Amino acid sequence: MADPFLELIDISKSYPGVIALKGVTLSVAPGEVIGLVGENGAGKSTLMRILGGVAAPDHGVLRIDGAERAAMTIDAAGKAGIAFVHQELNLFDNLDVAANVFIGREPRKAPPLRLLDTEAMRQRTAPLLKKLGADFTPASPVADLSLAQRQLVEIAKALSFDARLVILDEPTSSLTVTETNRLLKIIADLKATGVSVIFISHRLQEVERCADRVIVLRDGRKVGELTGAEIQHEAMIRLMIGRDLKSLYIPPKAPPGAEALALSDLRTSAFPDKTVDLTVREGEILGLAGLVGSGRTEVARVVFGIDKQTGGEIRLKGEPVRIAEPREAIARGIFLVPEDRKQFGLLLDVSISQNISLPDLASYAKAWLIKPAQEDANAERQKRSLNIKTPNVGVLAGALSGGNQQKVVLAKWLSMKPRIIIFDEPTRGVDVGAKQEIYELMRALSDSGVAILMISSDMEEVIGVSDRIAVMHEGRISGLLERSRFSEDNVLRLAVGRPLN
Amino acid sequence: MLKKDLGLLILILVVSATVAFINPRFLLPINLSNTMNLIGLYGIFSIGVGLVIITGGIELSVGSMFALLGVIFVDLLSTYEINWALASLIIVIAGLILGALHGFLVTRMGLQPFIVTLCGLLIYRGIARFYTEDATAGFPFGVTYPALQWLTTGRTLGIPHSFVAFIIIAVVMGIVLHRSVFGRYLFAVGKNEEAARYSGIRTKRVISSAYIICGGLAGLAALFLTLYTRSISPATHGNFYELYAIAAAVLGGCSLRGGEGSMLGIVLGTILLQVLQNLVNLLGIPSSLNFAVIGAVILFGVLADQQIARYGGITQFFRRKTVPQAMPEKQG
Amino acid sequence: MLKKDLGLLILILVVSATVAFINPRFLLPINLSNTMNLIGLYGIFSIGVGLVIITGGIELSVGSMFALLGVIFVDLLSTYEINWALASLIIVIAGLILGALHGFLVTRMGLQPFIVTLCGLLIYRGIARFYTEDATAGFPFGVTYPALQWLTTGRTLGIPHSFVAFIIIAVVMGIVLHRSVFGRYLFAVGKNEEAARYSGIRTKRVISSAYIICGGLAGLAALFLTLYTRSISPATHGNFYELYAIAAAVLGGCSLRGGEGSMLGIVLGTILLQVLQNLVNLLGIPSSLNFAVIGAVILFGVLADQQIARYGGITQFFRRKTVPQAMPEKQG
Amino acid sequence: QDKKTLAFVVNGASDFWKIAEAGVKKAQEELPNYTLELKYPEQSSAAIQQRLMDDLVAAGVAAIMVSAVDPKTSTEALDRIAGQVPLFTTDSDAPQSKRIAYIGSSNVELGKDAGKLMLKALPDGGKCIGFVGLPGADNARERIEGVQATIKGSKVEMVDVRGDDIDFARAKRNVADALAASPDVACMVGFYSYNTPLIYETLKESGKLGQIKIIGFDEDPVTLGGVREGAIEGTVVQNPYEWGYQGMKLMAKVLEGDKSGVPADGLIIVPGQVIDKANVDAFETELKSRLGK
Ligand SMILES: Nc1ncnc2c1ncn2[C@@H]1O[C@H](COP(=O)(O)OP(=O)(O)OP(=O)(O)O)[C@@H](O)[C@H]1O
Ligand SMILES: Nc1ncnc2c1ncn2[C@@H]1O[C@H](COP(=O)(O)OP(=O)(O)OP(=O)(O)O)[C@@H](O)[C@H]1O
Ligand SMILES: [Mg+2]
Ligand SMILES: [Mg+2]
C-alpha cells in the first residue's frame, strides 16, 4: 500500500462532560477505503469533523503531505482535497439540487462579474445524479425532496469535488439496497482512480463489502484495526461492544392477535390515484419495505394525522376513525417515530428530559404546573433502560450523537401507553448494539400486545426483525410476504413492481 | 436566573447608581414611584408581546390598539356613560378579540405574523382616527371615576397600582411560562413548530393563545394608559410603543427567531428602558439626545454583556450549550 | 416569475384599474410621473433592506439615517459650501460606513441585528436632532444646485430620475441577487448560516456586505429624499420609513426568517405601497383613513393570494412539490 | 445657595420654539439668579410630556411654563403639576386648570387673519385646499376654524384639508396629488410651518407658481423668501419670542411674590402678525437679530 498522505496523530477532543476522542491516530493512504465503525457516541463524527476542519482538536496534530498543522480549517480541508458528507444533512432547501451540489464553489461566467453559470452547474450535476440513480433532476428544489433523496444530493456533492479523500459519514442511513449498492460501486470506482474514502456506517455488511481496513472506536479511543480477511461482521461487533450479539430475529411469544390497525383504500396526496390496503395485528411486527419515495412515509404521516387523508378508511380494532391531528392519534395510542428526527422528532436545543416528557406533559404536571423532578426521574429511567449515552438528562438533545438522539425519540413514546407504534426508519444512524436493544424493545412491546408497523430501508433489518413484510411500490402495496417467503430477492422484486417467482 | 438576566440586572444597577450619584433626587420616593408607574404601564403589554415573540411570532399593533381601544373607552365612559367596570370589561374583551383575530389569521390563514400585525398597526390607528375625525378624545373636565382612577392611577404607600398590576401579571405569567404545561408548549412551538406538532401539541391553538393573551394584556394596558393620559390623540397615542415592547423583550433575552426568552428578562428589559428615560430627564440631558442616550446605553450594555460572556469567567459556564440546566424553562 | 410575484402584480393591476375607473385622472402622465418618483425614492432603500432581510437580518435604522445624513448633507452644501458632487459622495460613503458598522456589530460582535439597528434608529436620530438642536435644516431660499437637482429631482420625458435610478439599481441588484455567486451566498447564509460556513462560505463577510450595501443605498436615498423635501426636520424626517421598507420586502415575498425573497418582489411591493398612497389622495379619502386603507388592501391582497394558492387553479401549479419522473432507472 | 430653575416645556421639537428660546435667553440675561431651561419632550405625545414634567418636578424645578400637547383634556395632569410648583401655560391654554396664567396668542384669530389673506388673494372666489400635519390637533382645528369663519359666505371655499402626520415627503406628495386630482384649485393654504415651503416648492416644480395662490403660517425662511418674491400672498406669524421673554420674567416675579403681572382673567394675549411683501424685510431682519444669526 502507498504511503499515507494524511495523518491524524494523537488526537483528543472533549466537550463539557464528555471525552469525545482520546489519543486517536489515523492515517490515510491514496486509494484506500477505510471503514470507521463504533457505537453511537464513540467519536466517529467528531474525528471526521476535525479532519474536515469543522471542529478543532484539543490536542494532537494533523499531517498533510508531510506538513504538520495543529488544526484544519474548512478552507484548508477543501484545498487539501477533502470532501465531506456530514452525518446530519446540511442542505439549503431554498435552493435547487445543482446549487446545493456546488454551494461555495460555483462555476462562474463573465469573470469580472462573478455570475453563476447555472447551465454548467446543472450539466455537471446531471451525470452525478445519474450515477447515483436519483429520481430527481438538478433543477429540482431541495425543499421537495425526501430525506433519502437529500442524502443522495449530499453524496453527489461530495463526488463533485475532485477530491483525494471523500469522507462519508453514514451516507446510507436512509438509503435502500439499490441506492446503497450503487454507492458501493461508486466507492470502488473512486478507489480505482486513487481516491481514498473514509466510510462510516452502522450497517456493518456495507463496511464488510467495501473496506480495505476497518478502524474501530469505542468511547473515544481506537480499540482495534482490522484489515483484509479479518474484516468480519462478528469481529467488528466484538471490538465495538466487547461482546457477541445474538441473531436479529426474536420470535414472538404468542401468535398475533386481533386486527389492531387496518387501512382500506387509503388515499394520500403524494399518490392521489393509488390506494393502500394494509392490516397490522396486535402483537406482530409488520415490516414495510420499498424503494426511496415509494410512499411509505406518506402513509405513516396520514395515519398519524400529520397529512390529510384524501380517501379511504382507517380502522382501529375494526372501528373506523378519523384522525385529523397528531394529538388525536396519540390519544388513541397511535405513535409515530419519524424518519427525520432533527426536523420532526426532537427539539434540538431542549434538554433530553424535556424532550421525553413533551407529548405527555400533563402526566408530569399537577394542576398544570410541571414537576421537573418527575420529568427527570422518568428521563433517568428511560436513559437507563434504553442505555442513552449522556452524562445526565439535562443535556441538550442536539448535543447527543445521532444514535442517542434516536433513542430519545423512542423514549418519548415508550414513556406512554402505546397501542400501535409506527417506526419510520427506527434505527437510522443507530449502532449495532443499540439496534439490538431497539429490536428487543420492539419485540417486548409487541409481546405486550402492541401492534408495530416498521418502515425500513435496511434490508437486513426488514428481513431480520419483521414477522411479516409488506412491500410498497409507487404508492400502493405491491405484495405481502410471510416469514417463510422472506428473501432479499423477493422483497426487491416487489419493491420494483415485478411479480414474485 | 439566567446569565442574560443577570447581565441586564447589573446594567440596570450600574445605570441607576450612576444617576443616583450624579443627581440624588433620583432616589426620591416620588421619582421612584413615578418611574414604577411607567414601568407598570409599559410592562403590562411588553409581557404579551414577549409571549408572542417566544412562539416565533411578532406583534406590531399594540400601539395602534391603544389608540383604538382608548378612544372607544373614552366614548363608552363619557358619551354613553356606561358603568366603568362594564366598559373596562368591554375593552379587555375587545383586546382579546383582536388578539384572537391575529391568531386566526396567522395560524388558520397561514399569513406571516409580521404582515398581519403590520396591517393591524395601520388599520386600527386608521379606524381610531376616522372614528374621532382625528380629534383628541378625552374625559370632560371635572368628570371623575373615583374607583376606576384609584384602581389604575392610584398609589398605595407610594406604590402605583399600575406597577402592582404589572408585578402580579408578571408573576402569574412567569409561572405560566416557566412552570406550566402551556408555557412549555409556547417554547416548544417557538423552537420547532413541526416537531411540536409531531409530539401531539395543538400548535395552532398554542400560537393563537399567545396572540389572545397579548391582545388581552394590550386591552388592559389601554385602560391604564387612557387613565394616565386622560386624553387620546388618535394620530399619536401609542406611536412606537410596539418598538418599546419588542425592545424590552429582545433586551430581556427573547430571540425573534422564537423559542427563547424569560419573564424575568422581559421585566428587566422594561425596567431598563424606563430607567433610561428617567435618566435623560433627571440629568438634564438635552431631550434631543434622549433617544441617542437610550440607544447608546442599550448598545454598550449588550456589547459589554457579550464581551464578558465571550472572555469572562463565570458566565462562560452558562454559554456552553451542553451544560445541564442551562434551559430557560427551568429557571425562575 | 414566482407565484408570489405574480399575485402581487395582479393585486397592483386590480388596485390601479379600480382607481383609474373611479378617477381617470389617475392615468394622467403627471400623476403617473409623481407616483413613479415616489416609487423611486422609497424603492432605493427598500432594496437594501430587502437584501438584509434575505440574509436573515433586519435593518430598522434607515429612517434615522435619512435624518442624520440629510442634515449633514444640507450642512455640507449650504454651510460649508462644498462641491455638490463631493458632498454627495461623502454622504454615500457615510451610509456605507454606517452599514459596515452594523455588519461589524452583527457578525463580529455577535449582537442581534434587531438590537443593533434599533440602537441605530435611536442613536442616529438623536445625533441628528442634537446636531441641529432640533431645528429644521433646509437649503436657504432661492439657492439652487442645478446639476444636482436635475440628477435627483429632474425628469426626462416625464420619467423622474429617481425612478430611473431605482430601476437601474433594481436591475443591477436583481442580477447580483439572482445570478451572481454573491447573491447565491446571500440566500444560503439566510437559510442556514452554519451549513453555509461548512460549505466554505465566508458567512460573516457575506452578511456584512448586505448591511454595507443597505447602508450605501440608504445614503443614496438620503440624497434623493433631501432634495425632494429640501428641508429636514430631524425629529420627524424618515420616521417609520423602515417599516415601509420592511413592508415592501415582506409583501414582495421576503421572509423575516431569511433565505427567501426576490428583487422583483421587492420592486412590486414598493410599487403597491406607493400606488395605495396615491389612491387615498386621488379618491379623496380622508387622510385619517390613509393608513387604514393601505393596511386593509395589503391584508386582503395577501389573504386572497393565500386562498387562491390554497384552492386555486393556476397557482396550484407552482405549489405542487415536484413529482418525480417515473422510476425507470430504479429497475436497472 | 443653588439657583432656582425655571423650565419652559414645549410640545415637541420645532423651529418655532427656537424663537421662543431666543426670548428665554434674553430673559436669562436679565435674571441672573435663575437657571432657565427649555425642555423638549422627545415626541409630541401627552404621556411623554407629562412624564417629562413629573421628572422635572422630581429633579426640583421651581416653576414650569408649558405648551401642553393636549391642554383641553390634560387638566387633571396639569393640576397635579400645579399642586407642586407654580404652573403657567403658553401657546395653547388650559383655562380650567389651576395654572396661574396663560401667555400666547389665539389660533382662531390667526386663522381669521389667514382667511382675510385668502379673500384678498381671490377677489373672484375659488377653490382652496389646505395642508396640515395633524388635522385633529387643537392648533390645526382652531386655525381651520378661523379660516372657515372668515371665508363663510364668500365665493372662496376650502374644499379639503389633507393631513400628512408631519412626514415632509408625504406632505409634498399631498400637494402634488392635489394638483393632479383637482386641476381647478385656486389657492393652497399651509397650516403648519413646513407645509407652506413644500407647497411653494411643488408649485415651482410644476410651473404653477403665481397661478395658484399660496397662504401660509409661520416664518420658515422659504416662506419668507416666497413672500418677498410675491409668490406667496402672505403668512401669519405668532410672537413666541415675547412668550419666552415675558413668560420667564413673569414666572420669576411670581416666585418672588409679586403677582401684579398676572391679569385678572389670567390671559396675556400676544397678538400675531400678518407678513406680506410690504413688511417682510423688516420682519426678517428682526427675526435674524433675535436668533443671533
Ligand atoms: N457539539 C458538541 N457538543 C457537546 N458534545 C458533543 C458535541 N458533538 C459531539 N459531542 C459528544 O461527543 C461524543 C462523540 O460524538 P460523535 O458524534 O462523534 O459520535 P459518533 O461516533 O459519530 O456517533 P453516531 O454513530 O451516533 O453518529 C458524544 O458523546 C457526543 O455527545
Ligand atoms: N417533505 C416532502 N416534501 C415534498 N415531497 C415529499 C416529501 N417527502 C416525500 N415526498 C414525496 O412524496 C412521495 C412519497 O415519499 P415518502 O417519503 O412517503 O416515501 P418513502 O417510501 O418513505 O421514501 P423515503 O425512503 O424517501 O422516505 C415521494 O414521491 C417523495 O418525493
Ligand atoms: Mg456520528
Ligand atoms: Mg420514508
Side-chain angles (χ1 to χ4, degrees):
Chain A
M1 182 133 301
D3 286 335
F5 69 97
L6 178 69
E7 284 172 282
L8 292 167
I9 300 157
D10 198 20
I11 298 288
S12 299
K13 169 91 187 168
S14 55
Y15 289 107
V18 237
I19 296 169
L21 289 172
K22 184 115 188 77
V24 176
T25 297
L26 170 74
S27 60
V28 186
E32 185 184 26
V33 178
I34 299 175
L36 189 57
V37 300
E39 296 184 84
N40 293 132
K44 305 180 294 292
S45 299
T46 306
L47 188 63
M48 292 304 106
R49 280 202 291 268
I50 288 169
L51 191 49
V54 178
D58 299 338
H59 181 261
V61 290
L62 294 94
R63 191 179 293 152
I64 310 164
D65 296 321
E68 257 184 35
R69 52 192 307 162
M72 239 359 177
T73 60
I74 295 169
D75 263 358
K79 290 212 182 75
I82 300 175
F84 196 165
V85 174
H86 288 271
Q87 178 174 11
E88 302 298 344
L89 300 181
N90 281 306
L91 295 177
F92 302 93
D93 56 13
N94 53 345
L95 302 177
D96 66 20
V97 169
N100 267 285
V101 166
F102 283 97
I103 191 76
R105 47 200 182 86
E106 291 76 4
R108 291 155 196 201
K109 61 184 182 194
L113 298 181
R114 306 194 349 135
L115 295 190
L116 294 168
D117 192 346
T118 310
E119 259 327 289
M121 257 187 276
R122 294 193 174 160
Q123 267 167 23
R124 282 161 63 184
T125 307
L128 296 173
L129 294 183
K130 184 145 190 260
K131 212 154 130 191
L132 289 167
D135 59 345
F136 48 89
T137 68
S140 305
V142 165
D144 293 353
L145 301 184
S146 71
L147 195 61
Q149 291 170 321
R150 289 174 192 219
Q151 206 154 38
L152 292 181
V153 177
E154 281 277 17
I155 296 170
K157 186 162 141 190
L159 297 181
S160 73
F161 280 83
D162 257 338
R164 286 202 288 171
L165 168 66
V166 178
I167 300 171
L168 300 170
D169 193 351
E170 302 197 31
T172 55
S173 60
S174 312
L175 299 187
T176 56
V177 235
T178 5
E179 290 93 359
T180 306
N181 285 342
R182 246 185 236 116
L183 181 63
L184 294 181
K185 169 83 173 48
I186 290 168
I187 291 175
D189 291 348
L190 288 173
K191 178 179 153 74
T193 57
V195 178
S196 324
V197 176
I198 297 181
F199 183 79
I200 301 178
S201 178
H202 289 294
R203 299 183 184 169
L204 299 180
Q205 257 187 343
E206 297 168 357
V207 179
E208 216 173 86
R209 279 169 59 194
C210 72
D212 299 320
R213 191 153 65 96
V214 170
I215 310 270
V216 186
L217 294 183
R218 195 200 306 167
D219 296 335
R221 283 184 182 76
K222 187 160 127 186
V223 291
E225 191 167 331
L226 305 169
T227 47
E230 293 166 11
I231 303 177
Q232 295 274 324
H233 209 250
E234 283 70 31
M236 286 189 272
I237 291 177
R238 215 171 299 125
L239 282 172
M240 276 168 67
I241 61 177
R243 63 190 158 92
D244 289 320
L245 280 182
K246 303 178 286 273
S247 81
L248 286 185
Y249 188 69
I250 313 160
K253 279 207 193 92
E259 161 192 305
L261 171 74
L263 313 176
S264 52
D265 294 334
L266 186 78
R267 278 176 200 275
T268 66
S269 51
F271 292 93
D273 46 358
K274 301 280 179 63
T275 61
V276 174
D277 292 88
L278 197 64
T279 307
V280 193
R281 293 170 296 186
E282 284 173 357
E284 81 166 342
I285 299 176
L286 176 65
L288 185 56
L291 294 182
V292 167
S294 54
R296 297 164 297 170
T297 299
E298 189 59 34
V299 169
R301 286 165 60 97
V302 168
V303 172
F304 191 57
I306 300 283
D307 288 345
K308 258 215 338 254
Q309 180 184 344
T310 52
E313 198 176 56
I314 300 176
R315 285 192 308 276
L316 274 185
K317 287 193 171 232
E319 183 193 328
V321 290
R322 279 253 146 213
I323 296 170
E325 273 194 64
R327 190 178 183 85
E328 294 168 14
I330 291 169
R332 297 196 154 93
I334 306 175
F335 302 158
L336 171 68
V337 177
E339 62 180 336
D340 188 344
R341 55 179 170 254
K342 213 170 146 187
Q343 268 196 60
F344 306 125
L346 291 172
L347 301 176
L348 293 173
D349 50 3
V350 162
S351 70
I352 295 173
S353 137
Q354 293 190 10
N355 263 294
I356 293 177
S357 60
L358 193 61
D360 194 24
L361 265 183
S363 65
Y364 301 92
K366 212 162 119 191
W368 280 85
L369 294 188
I370 300 169
K371 301 253 169 294
Q374 281 185 26
E375 284 184 283
D376 289 347
N378 175 60
E380 276 299 336
R381 246 189 333 271
Q382 296 294 343
K383 175 194 158 190
R384 256 176 283 119
S385 77
L386 295 177
N387 198 16
I388 300 173
K389 283 222 184 62
T390 168
N392 68 61
V393 293
V395 169
L396 304 186
L400 292 180
S401 73
N404 282 308
Q405 287 182 4
Q406 186 70 4
K407 290 188 193 167
V408 174
V409 182
L410 286 183
K412 277 170 52 165
W413 300 131
L414 298 183
S415 312
M416 297 167 66
K417 274 259 140 292
R419 284 171 58 190
I420 297 160
I421 302 191
I422 305 171
F423 289 86
D424 197 352
E425 314 287 359
T427 59
R428 194 168 73 83
V430 174
D431 71 46
V432 273
K435 260 185 198 167
Q436 186 69 31
E437 292 165 19
I438 289 172
Y439 299 150
E440 281 165 13
L441 251 151
M442 285 165 67
R443 181 53 75 194
L445 281 168
S446 83
D447 280 343
S448 70
V450 177
I452 291 178
L453 178 64
M454 179 187 72
I455 300 172
S456 175
S457 300
D458 183 343
M459 187 65 78
E460 209 182 326
E461 173 171 289
V462 173
I463 293 180
V465 177
S466 318
D467 296 322
R468 288 188 303 155
I469 299 176
V471 186
M472 267 188 103
H473 170 66
E474 292 185 14
R476 58 180 192 85
I477 304 291
S478 57
L480 203 65
L481 299 169
E482 295 295 334
R483 250 206 103 68
S484 56
R485 303 191 63 190
F486 280 12
S487 76
E488 202 163 303
D489 187 51
N490 280 346
V491 172
L492 264 180
R493 276 178 171 279
L494 289 172
V496 298
R498 276 184 287 174
L500 294 182
N501 289 334
Chain B
M1 181 185 264
L2 284 171
K3 180 225 109 209
K4 272 182 182 163
D5 298 343
L6 192 69
L8 202 51
L9 184 63
I10 293 173
L11 184 60
I12 292 171
L13 293 178
V14 169
V15 170
S16 304
T18 314
V19 181
F21 180 76
I22 303 179
N23 186 348
R25 300 182 68 93
F26 175 74
L27 297 175
L28 282 188
I30 178 69
N31 185 57
L32 292 182
S33 171
N34 286 342
T35 304
M36 273 196 260
N37 181 32
L38 287 149
I39 291 170
L41 292 179
Y42 284 81
I44 293 174
F45 62 88
S46 297
I47 289 175
V49 172
L51 291 185
V52 169
I53 290 177
I54 286 173
T55 68
I58 189 99
E59 175 55 85
L60 297 169
S61 69
V62 286
S64 297
M65 278 197 208
F66 298 151
L68 179 59
L69 298 179
V71 297
I72 295 176
F73 186 51
V74 169
D75 233 27
L76 286 179
L77 284 184
S78 52
T79 312
Y80 300 102
E81 298 187 350
I82 286 176
N83 172 279
W84 66 264
L86 182 62
S88 307
L89 193 68
I90 292 175
I91 293 305
V92 173
I93 290 176
L96 291 169
I97 291 175
L98 292 181
L101 182 67
H102 294 180
F104 174 80
L105 290 171
V106 168
T107 59
R108 306 285 160 177
M109 295 287 119
L111 303 186
Q112 288 196 43
F114 187 89
I115 291 272
V116 169
T117 58
L118 178 71
C119 290
L121 177 151
L122 299 169
I123 295 174
Y124 304 150
R125 186 168 300 283
I127 296 176
R129 292 176 64 170
F130 186 69
Y131 180 69
T132 62
E133 294 179 335
D134 254 332
T136 302
F139 299 115
F141 177 70
V143 175
T144 54
Y145 307 90
L148 179 60
Q149 279 171 277
W150 183 83
L151 276 175
T152 52
T153 59
R155 303 186 182 198
T156 300
L157 302 175
I159 310 281
H161 295 166
S162 58
F163 187 74
V164 175
F166 168 56
I167 292 301
I168 292 173
I169 293 170
V171 169
V172 171
M173 294 312 296
I175 292 173
V176 168
L177 185 63
H178 297 293
R179 297 258 181 272
S180 84
V181 172
F182 175 69
R184 185 68 66 76
Y185 288 173
L186 286 175
F187 280 107
V189 162
K191 287 196 150 76
N192 185 341
E193 192 180 334
E194 274 295 288
R197 202 155 78 89
Y198 271 78
S199 294
I201 297 173
R202 294 203 193 88
T203 52
K204 294 184 177 181
R205 199 174 285 194
V206 172
I207 293 176
S208 296
S209 308
Y211 284 95
I212 293 173
I213 294 174
C214 181
L217 290 178
L220 191 64
L223 299 181
F224 279 95
L225 279 168
T226 306
L227 279 140
Y228 178 63
T229 63
R230 289 190 60 89
S231 77
I232 288 166
S233 150
T236 56
H237 185 78
N239 261 347
F240 285 118
Y241 282 25
E242 61 283 347
L243 276 189
Y244 273 100
I246 298 172
V250 172
L251 264 178
C254 297
S255 157
L256 291 173
R257 295 190 169 227
E260 261 161 58
S262 78
M263 191 50 60
L264 185 60
I266 298 172
V267 170
L268 292 174
T270 307
I271 294 177
L272 177 62
L273 287 179
Q274 293 308 319
V275 168
L276 287 177
Q277 293 273 5
N278 193 223
L279 167 161
V280 173
N281 288 339
L282 278 192
L283 298 192
I285 297 174
S287 44
S288 57
L289 271 181
N290 185 336
F291 283 137
V293 170
I294 296 178
V297 173
I298 296 177
L299 189 62
F300 286 105
V302 177
L303 256 179
D305 182 63
Q306 199 82 358
Q307 292 311 301
I308 292 168
R310 198 174 280 184
Y311 304 108
I314 348 162
T315 48
Q316 184 69 25
F317 174 75
F318 295 96
R319 277 176 61 86
R320 264 320 307 167
K321 287 223 148 185
T322 38
V323 171
Q325 289 103 23
M327 296 311 304
E329 292 94 308
K330 285 210 170 154
Q331 265 78 42
Chain C
M1 183 186 262
L2 286 170
K3 183 221 108 212
K4 273 182 182 163
D5 298 344
L6 192 68
L8 201 51
L9 184 62
I10 293 173
L11 183 60
I12 292 171
L13 293 178
V14 169
V15 170
S16 304
T18 314
V19 182
F21 180 75
I22 303 180
N23 187 349
R25 301 186 65 87
F26 176 74
L27 297 176
L28 282 187
I30 178 69
N31 186 56
L32 293 181
S33 170
N34 287 342
T35 304
M36 274 196 259
N37 180 32
L38 286 148
I39 291 170
L41 291 179
Y42 284 81
I44 293 174
F45 62 88
S46 297
I47 290 176
V49 172
L51 292 183
V52 169
I53 290 177
I54 287 173
T55 68
I58 189 97
E59 175 57 85
L60 296 169
S61 70
V62 285
S64 297
M65 277 197 205
F66 298 151
L68 178 58
L69 298 179
V71 297
I72 296 175
F73 186 52
V74 168
D75 233 28
L76 287 179
L77 284 185
S78 54
T79 311
Y80 301 101
E81 298 187 350
I82 288 178
N83 172 277
W84 65 264
L86 183 61
S88 306
L89 194 68
I90 292 175
I91 293 304
V92 173
I93 289 175
L96 291 169
I97 291 174
L98 292 181
L101 182 67
H102 295 179
F104 174 79
L105 290 171
V106 168
T107 59
R108 307 285 161 179
M109 294 287 120
L111 303 186
Q112 288 194 44
F114 186 91
I115 292 274
V116 169
T117 58
L118 177 71
C119 289
L121 177 152
L122 298 170
I123 294 174
Y124 304 150
R125 186 167 301 281
I127 297 176
R129 292 176 63 169
F130 185 68
Y131 180 71
T132 62
E133 295 179 337
D134 258 329
T136 302
F139 298 118
F141 179 73
V143 176
T144 54
Y145 308 90
L148 178 60
Q149 279 171 272
W150 183 83
L151 275 175
T152 53
T153 59
R155 302 185 184 199
T156 300
L157 301 175
I159 310 279
H161 295 166
S162 58
F163 187 73
V164 174
F166 167 56
I167 293 300
I168 293 174
I169 293 170
V171 169
V172 171
M173 293 314 296
I175 292 173
V176 167
L177 186 62
H178 296 293
R179 297 263 177 273
S180 84
V181 173
F182 174 68
R184 176 61 48 85
Y185 291 175
L186 287 176
F187 280 108
V189 162
K191 184 50 98 176
N192 189 341
E193 194 179 335
E194 272 290 282
R197 211 158 55 76
Y198 287 177
S199 307
I201 297 173
R202 294 207 189 83
T203 54
K204 294 183 176 181
R205 200 176 283 194
V206 172
I207 294 176
S208 297
S209 308
Y211 284 95
I212 293 173
I213 294 174
C214 181
L217 290 178
L220 191 64
L223 300 181
F224 278 95
L225 278 169
T226 306
L227 280 139
Y228 180 63
T229 62
R230 287 186 63 89
S231 73
I232 289 168
S233 150
T236 59
H237 186 77
N239 259 346
F240 285 119
Y241 282 25
E242 60 283 348
L243 276 190
Y244 274 100
I246 298 171
V250 172
L251 263 179
C254 298
S255 157
L256 291 172
R257 295 189 170 229
E260 260 152 60
S262 77
M263 192 48 62
L264 185 60
I266 299 171
V267 170
L268 292 175
T270 308
I271 293 178
L272 177 62
L273 287 180
Q274 293 309 319
V275 168
L276 287 177
Q277 291 272 5
N278 193 224
L279 167 161
V280 173
N281 281 335
L282 278 194
L283 300 191
I285 297 173
S287 36
S288 58
L289 272 180
N290 184 354
F291 287 132
V293 171
I294 296 178
V297 174
I298 295 178
L299 188 62
F300 285 105
V302 177
L303 256 179
D305 183 62
Q306 200 82 358
Q307 292 311 302
I308 291 168
R310 200 174 279 185
Y311 303 109
I314 348 163
T315 48
Q316 186 68 23
F317 174 75
F318 296 94
R319 279 176 60 89
R320 259 323 298 164
K321 296 157 177 175
T322 42
V323 182
Q325 288 78 18
M327 314 198 168
E329 297 195 17
K330 284 205 168 150
Q331 327 249 317
Chain D
Q1 156 97 35
D2 270 351
K3 288 193 205 171
K4 283 185 175 161
T5 303
L6 306 180
F8 191 123
V9 177
V10 305
N11 61 1
S14 132
D15 295 328
F16 182 74
W17 295 116
K18 295 280 154 211
I19 306 170
E21 197 168 2
V24 171
K25 282 205 181 110
K26 174 90 164 104
Q28 175 78 77
E29 285 167 18
E30 298 172 19
L31 297 169
N33 297 329
Y34 293 89
T35 309
L36 306 188
E37 282 179 354
L38 197 94
K39 286 287 178 186
Y40 295 88
E42 67 274 11
Q43 282 177 48
S44 294
S45 133
I48 286 170
Q49 189 180 44
Q50 210 164 304
R51 192 238 162 105
L52 174 62
M53 287 195 285
D54 282 337
D55 284 349
L56 285 173
V57 172
V61 298
I64 291 180
M65 169 160 296
V66 62
S67 158
V69 170
D70 188 17
K72 296 275 180 301
T73 51
S74 306
T75 308
E76 247 91 342
L78 292 175
D79 282 352
R80 199 175 70 232
I81 301 296
Q84 304 176 69
V85 296
L87 181 74
F88 296 73
T89 54
T90 183
D91 190 22
S92 47
D93 194 15
Q96 278 147 331
S97 69
K98 300 202 182 87
R99 54 107 177 106
I100 293 172
Y102 166 74
I103 180 163
S105 42
S106 149
N107 275 306
V108 179
E109 292 302 321
L110 298 173
K112 286 182 179 164
D113 286 343
K116 285 178 204 143
L117 278 173
M118 288 160 73
L119 291 176
K120 198 172 110 200
L122 299 173
D124 303 328
K127 260 172 135 182
C128 295
I129 297 181
F131 299 93
V132 68
L134 302 168
D138 285 335
N139 54 0
R141 289 183 159 249
E142 287 163 10
R143 286 177 183 187
I144 295 168
E145 188 187 309
V147 167
Q148 297 284 25
T150 311
I151 62 175
K152 208 160 104 192
S154 76
K155 279 196 194 137
V156 178
E157 73 178 318
M158 190 139 81
V159 292
D160 199 1
V161 178
R162 309 299 302 173
D164 56 52
D165 297 334
I166 319 189
D167 175 340
F168 288 15
R170 229 178 107 199
K172 192 168 176 187
R173 98 166 294 168
N174 279 350
V175 179
D177 284 351
L179 280 177
S182 332
D184 54 345
V185 60
C187 95
M188 294 186 164
V189 186
F191 283 100
Y192 277 9
S193 60
Y194 60 87
N195 287 118
T196 316
L198 290 172
I199 294 171
Y200 173 83
E201 301 287 352
T202 315
L203 292 188
K204 192 170 168 190
E205 280 163 26
S206 53
K208 294 253 167 60
L209 219 50
Q211 299 167 33
I212 295 174
K213 307 288 182 192
I214 307 173
I215 283 97
F217 281 85
D218 301 333
E219 53 283 289
D220 187 279
V222 173
T223 305
L224 296 180
V227 170
R228 185 177 309 109
E229 204 181 74
I232 296 176
E233 289 305 307
T235 182
V236 182
V237 301
Q238 309 179 65
N239 201 344
Y241 180 87
E242 288 301 327
W243 307 351
Y245 176 67
Q246 294 182 22
M248 297 316 259
K249 298 265 294 208
L250 179 66
M251 275 161 79
K253 260 184 163 176
V254 169
L255 279 182
E256 285 153 13
D258 175 3
K259 294 208 169 172
S260 63
V262 181
D265 62 356
L267 294 178
I268 303 167
I269 299 295
V270 181
Q273 197 183 352
V274 173
I275 308 296
D276 56 18
K277 212 168 172 175
N279 58 3
V280 63
D281 288 323
F283 176 76
E284 202 166 14
T285 316
E286 188 189 5
L287 185 64
K288 278 194 174 145
S289 77
R290 281 177 172 176
L291 288 176
K293 280 188 186 162

